[in-house]
Amino acid sequence: MSCASVLSIRDLQISLANQSPSNSALVSDVSLEVMRGKATGLIGASGSGKSLTCLAVMDLLPKNLHCSKGEVELIRGTVGDKTPLCCIRGKRAAMIMQNPVSCFDPVFTVGYHLKETLRAHKLDVAKNINRIRSTLAELGFQQPDEILAAYPFQLSGGMLQRIMVSLALLLEVELLIADEPTTDLDVIVQSRILGLIDRLKKEKNMGVLLVTHDLSVIARLADNVLVMHKGRVIESAPVAKLFAHPREEYTKALLSAHFSLYGQDLSGEVHS
Amino acid sequence: MLHFIFRRLLLLIPILFTVSVLVFLILRLGPNDPALSYLRLSQIPPTDEALATAREFLGLNKPLLVQYLDWAGRALRLDFGLSYVTHRPVLAEILYYLPATLELAGVSLLLTLLVSIPLGMWSALNKDCWPDHMTRAFAFFGVSMPNFWMGFLLVTVFSVWLHWLPPMGRGGISHLIMPAVSLALMSISINIRLIRASMLENLHTRSVLYARARGLRERTVIGVHVFKNSLIPVITAIGMHVGELLGGAVVVESIFSWPGVGRFAVSSIYNRDYPVMQCFLLLMVVIFVLCNLLVDICYAAIDPRIRLAGEGNR
Ligand SMILES: Nc1ncnc2c1ncn2[C@@H]1O[C@H](COP(=O)(O)OP(=O)(O)OP(=O)(O)O)[C@@H](O)[C@H]1O
Ligand SMILES: [Mg+2]
């Protein structure tokens, strides 16, 4: 059971919708697997196609792009099939997006966002109100009710990022797609959130697709790592192996840049 | 919220003061002599003697400032003087005609909203398909068509040829249709373009992307989030449309012999009936400003960014 796959991508190619795939591919030949209870890390330079890969999983690519090749199998159903995606999105696979400030509707309160999402997935808001409060408290919000009544533009990026995490927790998703989930957080909250994701991964058997620039986040959470470069996966290995013996030049450069910044050996940090 | 409304009401005072000065000056600084108009309308031969008496009687030989203060002081007590033509109180005269105009403008505004919002949304949701092409062609046609020409066409087709609708006068719904349509056409067309543009913009924001990622149904994403955000520019535009409709009413009322205040104002302009013109202009400005106040209140009600701006962020 624990090694069943929640997400498997095979030979994914994303290209501009109105041009031939061969010369407009932004992402090509990406294959990856996320297992229940495991985290797959995705690292790579800015613009290497990490976010596009995440969006393709949810079938949320922008209109001018499309999946020109390959397939995405999400929780035993292929994306693009007749499977009603709105039953999977949010309920079974949640996403934490980049730039949280722009992701909320400014004319509705944070509480409205949470409640409408619960309602969309047939969860009774009145019955769950205490769970909402306790989840927010768990994420470090001392006054949950104030947060619920606030409008998105009154909160910081880090706070909104935690609201996104709270939705994933509330809906008890099977797959969490986290696109740079900790960029806007201070280290204390960051470590708390990572601890929480780690716990869910183990206790609730949740699979995680973790996109980040931060190698220490990878070291803490991920089981497998894929390195993306210019739209392709150039290296993929278990995390300990990747840190100890990077194969590709680009990966080596990435690692040594990190070491020169933080001056520590990451392989010591990798969990067993 | 109450604080916000109160602040806006306070702002009315300087606005009305400025407008009253402008209305007074523009009419007084024109090339015509009110005393001469007064004599002509009273059918008294304009001898020098009669002119002097009329000036004395109308207070025209006092300094301009004193004249303004006199007029404004009485206007504050809602006394706008007597019409040169009918010699009856101006305000009572105007208030007699006002309901017909408000009815016409109100129905046109309602028509504008009821037609333009669904059409604009339909157009945006079917971008570059036939509904979009059709709506855009319609909007283009509507913007280019002057309301008096539209009025003539409607009368020709529906009254002269088909005998379906009465060509003039005020009565039941059937009398209202053609004036309201010719009056609203311009606002409808402008609004369609506006709603289409703001819908298209709001359809591609990241908050819509995240709303879909949260698993909201397409109906909710568009009907709640895109819709409410797209309404914000429309509300601003409504304030402008009120001015457009009131101004357009002057023309449309003349075409359809609609017994409104616009037609009355036009005849008072021909007659240079100064007290009527002053009162009419001031009244229109008050209506316009009050409608815009209402618009601002709606605006604040729908957009928390505006509402909370005055109270400071927490
Ligand atoms: N709608 C689009 N149309 C055309 N090109 C796009 C579109 N969206 C993204 N791209 C391109 O695709 C590439 C990959 O973008 P993506 O957002 O996946 O990068 P990323 O790896 O997430 O980068 P970052 O680490 O900065 O988030 C970029 O070069 C970008 O310019
Ligand atoms: Mg990205």
Side-chain angles (χ1 to χ4, degrees), chain A residues 50-51 98 179-180 211:
Chain A
K50 307 182 296 292
S51 296
Q98 244 176 325
D179 196 350
E180 320 219 355
V211 177

Side-chain angles (χ1 to χ4, degrees), chain A residues 16 26-27 44-55 61-65 98 179-180 211-213 228 231:
Chain A
L16 293 176
L26 295 166
V27 167
S46 187
S48 55
K50 307 182 296 292
S51 296
L52 287 184
T53 308
C54 294
L55 288 178
L61 284 175
K63 273 238 170 64
N64 63 331
L65 305 180
Q98 244 176 325
D179 196 350
E180 320 219 355
V211 177
T212 180
H213 288 290
M228 278 187 81

